[in-house]
Amino acid sequence: MYIFLSYFMDINTPVYGGGQSIKIEDDRSISKGDTANTKKIGFNNHSGTHIDFPNHFFENGATSEKYGPDFWICENVFLINNPALEDEIILLDDNSINLIPSDVEFIIIKTGFGKYRGNEKYWKNNPGLSPSNAERLRMKFKKLKMVGMDFISLTAFQHREIGRSAHREFLGGDSPILLVEDMKLDNLSNSPLSIFCSPLLVSGIDGAPITIIAKI
């Protein structure tokens, strides 16, 4: 069985900091006499379920086109259930980390905060990840490519300096860990058997909406 771990984007998609990110308008319309329906779609590249590349926080960091097709297939995935409160800075405990297989490629952190999506607190009071998580995970899991989460950003909006530091810790160094933010995890209760990721293929960008399909 396969499920989406990404949200469909629409005009109500929440964005970090609030405001409207997605614009969808008619380009051509059959109802107005055109031969086909087409749309004009505009959005910030960090809208909806999206991935951060190193260039998001580093001028010379890798951008979208630097990652080949094989990178986006993960056969070793682990789900951490870690309930989080509003504005909490999450520090993964040793018990959680010790359960993760050594060959993990994608770690998913499920906090339950996705239930607030559509509410102001989803972007204004989201939890975030502690910067110290990055090096602990990098040192222990040499094959780790990505960490994903069910809240709008690695940066807790109420703790932005900590969040900026966390982004730099994950995305920096010789072995960057890419970040997938705003994942749809309400239907995921166990670690997926595998994951297929498909970022929007636009060259030279620091982040992109991403479609994630999990085999469960």
Side-chain angles (χ1 to χ4, degrees):
M1 178 178 176
Y2 296 88
I3 61 172
F4 285 117
L5 299 184
S6 298
Y7 290 100
F8 278 82
M9 297 169 68
D10 60 33
I11 60 172
N12 296 312
T13 293
V15 293
Y16 185 81
Q20 182 178 340
S21 171
I22 317 286
K23 294 182 179 180
I24 304 173
E25 58 186 34
D26 287 338
D27 181 27
R28 292 185 174 88
S29 174
I30 294 172
S31 66
K32 295 180 179 179
D34 295 311
T35 57
N37 292 317
T38 60
K39 300 287 186 185
K40 292 181 180 178
I41 303 173
F43 52 83
N44 180 284
N45 63 323
H46 292 268
S47 299
T49 307
H50 65 278
I51 190 159
D52 291 351
F53 297 110
N55 185 247
H56 188 37
F57 271 77
F58 295 94
E59 185 64 28
N60 296 316
T63 50
S64 49
E65 77 285 356
K66 301 299 183 183
Y67 296 89
D70 291 350
F71 181 86
W72 301 111
I73 300 171
C74 297
E75 302 288 348
N76 301 296
V77 187
F78 191 80
L79 172 68
I80 297 176
N81 283 291
N82 192 120
L85 302 174
E86 295 178 26
D87 307 323
E88 180 179 347
I89 301 299
I90 299 168
L91 178 63
L92 298 174
D93 59 43
D94 289 338
N95 290 333
S96 295
I97 290 177
N98 288 336
L99 292 173
I100 303 173
S102 61
D103 60 353
V104 69
E105 299 169 285
F106 195 130
I107 293 173
I108 302 171
I109 301 171
K110 182 178 181 179
T111 66
F113 209 76
K115 66 186 177 184
Y116 298 118
R117 203 173 191 264
N119 187 299
E120 182 182 61
K121 72 172 65 176
Y122 187 69
W123 65 263
K124 194 172 185 179
N125 301 105
N126 63 293
L129 292 185
S130 169
S132 63
N133 289 307
E135 191 60 21
R136 292 167 71 209
L137 295 175
R138 183 179 286 112
M139 293 298 294
K140 190 173 178 65
F141 307 109
K142 302 301 184 182
K143 295 183 178 180
L144 182 61
K145 303 175 184 179
M146 291 171 269
V147 170
M149 60 215 75
D150 62 348
F151 41 96
I152 199 164
S153 174
L154 176 77
T155 296
F157 190 71
Q158 299 300 327
H159 302 285
R160 276 163 277 183
E161 283 301 322
I162 294 174
R164 293 177 188 124
S165 177
H167 271 91
R168 287 190 286 267
E169 289 296 320
F170 275 92
L171 297 174
D174 295 331
S175 301
I177 300 170
L178 304 192
L179 302 167
V180 182
E181 299 166 323
D182 194 19
M183 291 183 71
K184 186 180 188 303
L185 302 181
D186 52 328
N187 293 322
L188 187 68
S189 55
N190 296 296
S191 298
L193 300 174
S194 61
I195 275 182
F196 173 76
C197 307
S198 181
L200 187 65
L201 295 182
V202 179
S203 182
I205 56 175
D206 63 278
I210 189 168
T211 298
I212 301 179
I213 298 173
K215 184 178 182 180
I216 60 173

